Each structure stands twice: as C-alpha cells, then as structure tokens.
Amino acid sequence: MTSRTDVPADEPAALPPRPAPAVAPGGLQAVLLDMDGTLVDTEDFWWEAECSVLADFGHRLGRRDRELVVGGPMARVVAHLLAVSGAPLTADRLGTMINDRFAALLRGGVPLRPGAAGLLKELRAEGIPTALVSASHRRIIDLVLEPLGAENFAFSVAGDEVERTKPHPDPYLLAAARLGAEPGRCVVVEDSPTGVRSGEAAGCAVLAVPSVGPIAAAPGRTVLASLEGVGVALLRSLVPGADGASR
C-alpha cells in the first residue's frame, strides 16, 4: 500500500514549474509511479498502523499476514484483517482507523526510497510525462505529496478515486489515458505483486523494485533491487521504439 517531513539531503533541488507533458509518438511516452514502498519507504508505516490497530482488539498479526496485505488495496487489507482477527468493527471503520494511525505516523516524516529523488529529478528535467498512481486514499497521497514534491507529477491517481483499484488495470489505464499515452509505451514502477499485476494487466512494461516480498522476473517485467542507478535511459530501453526496437 501504499512520510517524514524531514526530507533527505538528496531530495531534488527546486526546479521551475513543470511544462505540460508532451507525449512522443514512439518509444517511451510516460512513466507511471507507485508511491508506498516504491518512492517512499512507508510500507513499514502501514504495517505498524495495521498491527497497532488490531493489537487494540487483542489480535497479533504475523509475517504471513504482512505478505498478504502488502500493496493493498485497503478493501482487501481490511477484509483479511477482519477475517483473521474477528475484531468487532465494520470494514469502513477499520479502514478509517488504519488510515488515521498511518497519517499520525507520517507526521514524523517521510523517508524516500534509495534512488527515488534522483529518478524524479531526471524525469522532470527530461520532460517525461509522469503520474503518481497509488492504491492509497486521496487524503494519504496529499500528505505524502508535500515532501515528495507534487511538482514532479502531472497528476496523481488515488485508490478511492477509481471504481476498481489495484490489482485491476483501471488506475494505470486511467493515468495513461489522461497523459494521452499508449499503455504499451508506458513504464510502470512498482514494489509489490499487487501493483505489478495491475501494471501488467494494463499492458504496460513494468519495472519492479520489491520492498517486502520477492518478485520474479518475467516477460515484460524487469526486477531490480532498488531505484539507485535507474534513469531515463534504462526506462526508455524497456519499451519498443517507433521501429519496434526497445529504446
């Protein structure tokens, strides 16, 4: 699924306002980035929020639970937590409690994932159309966007703004359409199996940087340990050019 107000020293320096995205006819047309666990190191925050809320009702979550809930979306997370805990809560109430606990943790600051600041700076400098696509709710995205830099994205898509969120393709299809890009010429950057399935179902090339559990390489999917060293040149190489060759 899915923020420290002290931003690391390597955060992108202030840049002039981002120009309107101009989608190229061939090759890489857009980059669609997940948030939690991909750009910001907040998966531990989600887990702490989920564990602490369930602990209030006398239930302790384990490693297997974490593997099942990482990457969201909230509806799936809440359904699992209610099933294993028997907590006397409605799904809506539990979801609100987790979001509230997570938002409180964000007040301590949002740590960026290694390489995230450099990648965002290069994407912006190169004028690559970029969107933030998250299963987190709008209220959470807006909290994270301030330290992450809203100016680095043409727009953001939240999990509570689409009828079907990840692992369905809808969020990435919506982002590509809003940017005027072909899904097959977009690169999705994700950290969880749920997000990877969403990007692949949308027909995008996927770069996976696992944050919690392992993700296997597959056709159309590149897996790296982190975003360190990832730049526009590598992203261009993941999609076919106008002549059919990757670039």
Side-chain angles (χ1 to χ4, degrees), residues 67-214:
E67 293 173 352
L68 291 171
V69 302
V70 66
M74 184 60 75
R76 181 171 64 84
V77 171
V78 164
H80 173 77
L81 297 182
L82 288 175
V84 298
S85 70
L89 300 166
T90 64
D92 285 346
R93 178 57 182 155
L94 179 55
T96 297
M97 292 175 71
I98 292 171
N99 274 321
D100 287 347
R101 200 72 54 94
F102 180 79
L105 292 170
L106 292 182
R107 297 189 189 108
V110 182
L112 299 186
R113 294 279 289 168
L119 175 59
L120 290 175
K121 181 178 181 179
E122 185 174 348
L123 287 169
R124 190 174 179 202
E126 292 284 334
I128 304 296
T130 304
L132 185 67
V133 183
S134 176
S136 290
H137 289 188
R138 171 53 59 190
R139 60 175 288 210
I140 298 299
I141 290 178
D142 287 346
L143 288 173
V144 177
L145 270 176
E146 184 174 351
L148 187 58
E151 68 278 3
N152 290 309
F153 309 96
F155 56 83
S156 57
V157 176
D160 57 342
E161 294 173 342
V162 290
E163 185 174 344
R164 300 188 309 170
T165 188
K166 304 173 187 179
H168 297 287
D170 305 36
Y172 284 117
L173 290 175
L174 174 62
R178 287 185 62 183
L179 288 172
E182 303 171 39
R185 297 191 184 280
C186 296
V187 173
V188 161
V189 185
E190 274 281 358
D191 74 300
S192 72
T194 298
V196 167
R197 288 197 296 273
S198 178
E200 291 179 343
C204 304
V206 172
L207 172 61
V209 284
S211 64
V212 177

Side-chain angles (χ1 to χ4, degrees), residues 236-247:
R236 288 190 193 280
S237 74
L238 302 182
V239 299
D243 57 1
S246 294
R247 69 172 159 194

